[in-house]
Amino acid sequence: EANLLVESAGVFPAGRSENDPGSLSKISEDARREEKARLKLLVRNFTSTAIRGVSCGCVDLVTGKVYDATYFIDRWLHFLTVESGGTQGRWSLKVAIGSIKGILRAEELPYGTLQISLQPFVRKRLLVLKFESNSNEQEIAITEADVLHCETFVTCMNILRLYAQNHLSNV
């Protein structure tokens, strides 16, 4: 017999009910602690990989062409750098993580942002990073290996960006 009582409002340890104020706060506190630990591990794994470099695609949003690229995060977690050395020539873009204003998936982009029709396998892995550089809003579009990596990138970069923005405002 399990020691849980299942109610429509949630799961409570046996012998407790949703009317017991201690049961909800205890469960929500435990869930919050577990989620915090999960996110901490996710960010740690993401950053340790990104410091070494992650293969990605860089998408030209005008032509739809995808170039081989690599992104890196510096070990102090201040900058995201995207580099490419393919047929279009060697280039590099360094973005302060704290200057990132948003990371959008293809389906979240405002209508008309994409001037071209992207192939479905590119579209579902597309991420557009909007950032500020020299007081101008700019963007770069990358593709990740798959949808799961996209979700991890968005989650972890949003955490790192909030950390960087809070850190800068507290200095």
Side-chain angles (χ1 to χ4, degrees):
E1 173 183 52
N3 288 329
L4 295 177
L5 171 66
V6 179
E7 295 282 338
S8 61
V11 178
F12 303 97
R16 294 217 170 172
S17 73
E18 61 183 278
N19 297 328
D20 180 359
S23 66
L24 285 178
S25 63
K26 176 72 173 141
I27 290 171
S28 61
E29 182 62 30
D30 289 346
R32 192 180 81 61
R33 200 171 314 133
E34 284 177 21
E35 180 65 3
K36 186 175 178 181
R38 184 189 72 79
L39 289 172
K40 189 174 182 178
L41 183 61
L42 185 71
V43 171
R44 182 180 302 142
N45 290 338
F46 173 80
T47 55
S48 68
T49 302
I51 287 170
R52 294 188 306 270
V54 176
S55 293
C56 64
C58 186
V59 181
D60 182 326
L61 292 176
V62 175
T63 66
K65 179 111 174 83
V66 181
Y67 301 98
D68 290 336
T70 304
Y71 68 80
F72 301 89
I73 294 178
D74 69 298
R75 66 185 202 153
W76 297 278
L77 310 178
H78 293 200
F79 294 97
L80 170 73
T81 303
V82 180
E83 295 180 347
S84 182
T87 57
Q88 78 286 5
R90 187 162 190 76
W91 59 268
S92 176
L93 175 67
K94 188 174 186 178
V95 177
I97 292 173
S99 75
I100 296 173
K101 301 298 178 206
I103 304 167
L104 303 173
R105 296 164 195 87
E107 65 270 11
E108 299 170 323
L109 293 171
Y111 181 77
T113 301
L114 293 177
Q115 305 294 320
I116 40 81
S117 176
L118 294 173
Q119 296 176 341
F121 74 92
V122 173
R123 188 176 186 81
K124 71 180 182 181
R125 300 177 298 122
L126 180 72
L127 298 170
V128 177
L129 284 75
K130 295 186 174 284
F131 61 96
E132 203 168 289
S133 178
N134 300 325
S135 299
N136 294 322
E137 188 168 295
Q138 298 184 17
E139 60 188 29
I140 184 169
I142 65 169
T143 58
E144 273 282 14
D146 55 39
V147 175
L148 179 61
H149 284 90
C150 284
E151 294 304 317
T152 300
F153 184 94
V154 170
T155 300
C156 294
M157 287 302 295
N158 279 328
I159 290 169
L160 293 174
R161 144 178 105 89
L162 291 171
Y163 174 79
Q165 290 167 351
N166 287 335
H167 181 70
L168 288 175
S169 65
N170 292 333
V171 174

